[in-house]
């Protein structure tokens, strides 16, 4: 899974606000800003404070990008689960 904060950086440009200004207003630790610059996970509490400061929603500042491996893994689990459910329904119908 990957997370991107590109929307946040673009929003800051649109609002003519620097990352350091946001950090001070939202009371975000410097190491948390570094994590965000590296597209690493941060807590929901941090994201909420950012959204409060910028008057926006989570989707306006963060984007989730599943890896191809993650997509295949979820698809295989879905197929397996669906097959198991259909198999149990078939067995019950025959009884």
């Amino acid at each position: 899974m990957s997370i991107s904060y590109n929307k946040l950086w673009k929003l800051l440009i649109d609002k003519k606000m620097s990352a350091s200004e946001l950090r001070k207003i939202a009371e975000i630790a410097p190491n948390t800003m570094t994590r965000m610059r590296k597209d690493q996970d941060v807590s929901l509490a941090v994201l909420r404070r950012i959204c409060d400061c910028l008057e926006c929603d989570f989707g306006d500042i963060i984007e989730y990008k599943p890896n191809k491996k993650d997509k295949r893994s979820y698809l295989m689990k879905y197929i397996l689960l669906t097959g198991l459910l259909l198999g149990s329904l078939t067995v019950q119908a025959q009884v």
Side-chain angles (χ1 to χ4, degrees):
M1 133 177 103
S2 356
I3 296 189
S4 171
Y5 297 97
N6 287 338
K7 289 182 172 185
L8 170 62
W9 311 130
K10 291 175 185 173
L11 185 60
L12 288 176
I13 291 168
D14 292 344
K15 293 190 177 260
K16 296 178 174 58
M17 180 185 284
S18 71
S20 62
E21 289 173 323
L22 173 67
R23 187 182 71 75
K24 291 173 188 172
I25 294 168
E27 300 177 352
I28 300 170
N31 61 331
T32 301
M33 290 300 288
T34 300
R35 290 183 60 78
M36 292 172 67
R37 282 190 199 96
K38 294 179 180 180
D39 286 335
Q40 296 176 348
D41 296 342
V42 297
S43 72
L44 283 175
V46 169
L47 297 177
R48 182 187 50 79
R49 288 198 308 269
I50 292 170
C51 288
D52 288 345
C53 289
L54 299 177
E55 298 178 345
C56 65
D57 198 348
F58 290 130
D60 298 327
I61 63 171
I62 189 170
E63 184 177 10
Y64 168 72
K65 297 179 179 180
N67 296 333
K68 289 182 181 180
K69 181 181 174 185
D70 291 341
K71 288 180 184 177
R72 283 186 296 231
S73 175
Y74 290 126
L75 180 60
M76 292 305 294
K77 288 177 186 176
Y78 173 77
I79 291 170
L80 179 61
L81 181 60
T82 304
L84 291 173
L85 289 174
L86 289 175
S88 69
L89 291 175
T90 305
V91 170
Q92 288 177 358
Q94 292 175 354
V95 173

